[in-house]
Amino acid sequence: MSAGSSKIAIYGAIGANVAIAISKFVAAFFTGSSAMLSEGIHSLVDSGNGILILYGVKQAEKPADTRHPFGRSKELYFWSLIVAILVFSVGGGMSFYEGVEHLRHPSPITDPTWNYVVLGLSLLFEGISFFLAFREFNKSRGESGFWETLGRSKDPSVFAILMEDSAALIGLVIALAGVYFGHLLNNPFFDGGASICIGILLVSVAIFLIYKTKGLLVGEGVDDETLDGLEALARQDQAVEAIRRPLTMYLGPHDVVLALDVEFQDHLSANEVEQAVRRLQDTIRTKYPDFKRIFIEAKSIAGKQRAPLASDSTAVSPQI
């Protein structure tokens, strides 16, 4: 999935959340609904989160320089972690606090009309935002299931927006139920309880996002299936005698470092080993284009000493 296509979901989420946040705060002001205020906070936080993720995407696109020789792809993961912390503290924490305060000092909802209008419009706009995010998410699914794809996704600009939009839709349903039953039964505790439920929902989403981005920040590698495929590709080359388990690390959603420890056939000359290295690199990149930098450590011809054979997107010549 291209960076441009993932930005569509981000722009859609930002636009929807800004409009929805304003309308929710207006409704909360006129009705005094705690759940509506929580939903307004939720939408405001989501707007800021979308801007932070968009900033992370732009930073990650910056080219490598002397201070960042591997580029700045991990910036996206850093800002995604900040987003997760904001969802946890501001979104979840404030919603939970508002709910508790409303339970301690309940105030009945006199006229829920504003709430129903805003919640209806919010469901519409959040549904559009969710559709855009889910469409971008589906482009990487293939034949895999939803949860399987979500678990293996390495692109926070897609899965973070999708999870936030999902939480927003569920939160709106909870808020609608709290307002409806609170007004129907003349019991303001439903409204406060809905706010607490929204807070718990946001905290749960935040924990998931923190778990995902933490693994990527500390150097998560590719899955076992991809590692097996890399080994199989290397062993298919007649010049390869043995290979250790590949080492990989995600720098960004589509920027992966690969280190291979390869032992080539003893009878090969230095020139033949160099050709085998380039052939192996081309084969890997054809099947796995996300490997932007490939480093190969091979047995030298004389003395069986290891010498690094490195390659990246600039096609560094191997040395034996």
Side-chain angles (χ1 to χ4, degrees), residues 10 19 89 96 162 168 186 194 201 232 262 290:
I10 303 175
S89 59
F96 195 89
L162 180 65
N186 195 27
L201 172 67
V262 182
D290 286 348

Side-chain angles (χ1 to χ4, degrees), residues 257-302:
V257 172
L258 169 64
L260 286 175
D261 192 356
V262 182
E263 182 175 340
F264 291 98
Q265 299 290 344
D266 293 338
H267 61 81
L268 297 178
S269 66
N271 184 56
E272 289 173 326
V273 170
E274 182 176 348
Q275 292 177 0
V277 168
R278 294 194 178 279
R279 185 170 61 246
L280 186 56
Q281 293 165 355
D282 292 339
T283 301
I284 292 173
R285 286 200 178 99
T286 298
K287 186 172 182 180
Y288 303 103
D290 286 348
F291 289 109
K292 299 296 190 295
R293 297 167 180 83
I294 300 175
F295 299 90
I296 297 180
E297 189 175 339
K299 288 277 191 177
S300 64
I301 305 303

Side-chain angles (χ1 to χ4, degrees), residues 221-265:
V222 301
D223 54 60
D224 290 336
E225 181 181 353
T226 303
L227 291 176
D228 292 339
L230 289 169
E231 284 195 58
L233 283 180
R235 295 184 190 282
Q236 288 174 4
D237 196 300
Q238 296 181 350
V240 175
E241 181 175 329
I243 180 174
R244 291 185 180 181
R245 191 69 167 171
L247 302 177
T248 63
M249 182 175 66
Y250 276 95
L251 298 180
H254 305 289
D255 186 2
V256 190
V257 172
L258 169 64
L260 286 175
D261 192 356
V262 182
E263 182 175 340
F264 291 98
Q265 299 290 344

Side-chain angles (χ1 to χ4, degrees), residues 90-145:
V90 182
M94 288 296 293
S95 295
F96 195 89
Y97 172 79
E98 282 295 328
V100 172
E101 283 297 301
H102 201 74
L103 291 180
R104 292 178 59 192
H105 309 288
S107 58
I109 300 175
T110 55
D111 184 5
T113 305
W114 273 90
N115 288 342
Y116 291 140
V117 172
V118 171
L119 287 172
L121 291 174
S122 298
L123 283 168
L124 174 63
F125 288 118
E126 287 289 4
I128 295 173
S129 179
F130 176 82
F131 170 77
L132 293 174
F134 190 71
R135 185 183 64 180
E136 300 306 318
F137 177 78
N138 268 342
K139 292 180 180 179
S140 62
R141 281 184 65 180
E143 299 298 324
S144 303

